[in-house]
Amino acid sequence: MEEIVDTLVAVLISWISVNFGLPESEVTPQVAFVPEVEMIETRLASATSAEQIHAIEVTNPRGRPDYGIYAIYSDETSTVYLQEDWSAQSPADVSILVHELVHHMQNQANLDYECPEMSEKLAYRAQRRWLHDFGINLESEFNLDPMTVLVRTNCWQ
C-alpha cells in the first residue's frame, strides 16, 4: 500500500499544482494511517501549542456516529494523518488526501494567511473539484453544506 500511496501523492501534487497554481514542493509529505482517536488527541493537543494543525472535521459524516475527523496535516512534521480505514479506491477518501496535500503545498511555499481558516479556501476548492470530477460533492459525502464551508473558510474576528 505504501508504494500506491507514494505514487498517488506524487500524481495529486502535480494535479493540484496544474489546476490551482500552487508550486510543487520538493519535500514529499509523510502519510500515516492512524485511528481516529489519535487524530482527535492530536487536534486537541494542538489547541494548546504553537503547532499548526489542519483538520477535516465533520459531524456525523455519512451517517457515522463518530466525531468525524477524517484527516490532519501537521505543518511541523509535514505529515498527513489519515484514518486507518482510508482507501485509495474511494474518490471521497482520495479527496481527503487532496485537501491535506493542499495544506502541505501551502506550508512548503511558506504562504501566509490572514487567519488559519483562510488557508482552507483553496483546500476545500480542490477537494470540491476532485469530488465533482467523480459526480459527487462535499454535502453528499461529508455532510458539508455550502454555508458550513463558508464559515470554515473565513476569518470572523
Side-chain angles (χ1 to χ4, degrees):
M1 170 103 154
E2 187 175 327
E3 187 175 313
I4 292 170
V5 171
D6 290 346
T7 301
L8 183 58
V9 165
V11 168
L12 292 174
I13 285 175
S14 293
W15 181 83
I16 293 164
S17 181
V18 166
N19 286 284
F20 300 98
L22 285 174
E24 289 192 37
S25 61
E26 292 182 21
V27 174
T28 302
Q30 295 180 45
V31 177
F33 298 93
V34 299
E36 182 182 23
V37 68
E38 189 174 320
M39 284 192 268
I40 292 169
E41 290 167 355
T42 301
R43 180 74 168 137
L44 292 174
S46 74
T48 59
S49 74
E51 182 180 7
Q52 181 67 40
I53 296 284
H54 304 273
I56 298 178
E57 300 176 33
V58 186
T59 304
N60 295 325
R62 298 187 208 156
R64 291 171 50 174
D66 60 5
Y67 182 64
I69 294 186
Y70 278 103
I72 326 178
Y73 174 72
S74 168
D75 284 351
E76 188 174 296
T77 64
S78 296
T79 302
V80 173
Y81 296 92
L82 299 170
Q83 283 192 4
E84 56 193 351
D85 65 349
W86 181 91
S87 170
Q89 303 298 316
S90 163
D93 282 4
V94 174
S95 81
I96 294 166
L97 181 57
V98 166
H99 184 111
E100 298 307 331
L101 289 175
V102 168
H103 292 310
H104 171 72
M105 294 168 76
Q106 291 168 325
N107 178 41
Q108 293 301 305
N110 293 312
L111 299 179
D112 287 323
Y113 295 91
E114 186 178 337
C115 64
E117 293 81 8
M118 293 298 285
S119 71
E120 295 293 337
K121 278 188 187 290
L122 185 57
Y124 277 117
R125 198 168 123 220
Q127 185 177 11
R128 185 180 299 115
R129 168 84 177 274
W130 181 267
L131 292 167
H132 179 267
D133 289 350
F134 287 90
I136 52 182
N137 59 54
L138 286 169
E139 194 160 8
S140 67
E141 297 304 307
F142 302 102
N143 199 26
L144 281 173
D145 61 90
M147 183 57 121
T148 300
V149 173
L150 177 68
V151 169
R152 290 184 180 183
T153 60
N154 283 282
C155 304
W156 298 101
Q157 295 180 346

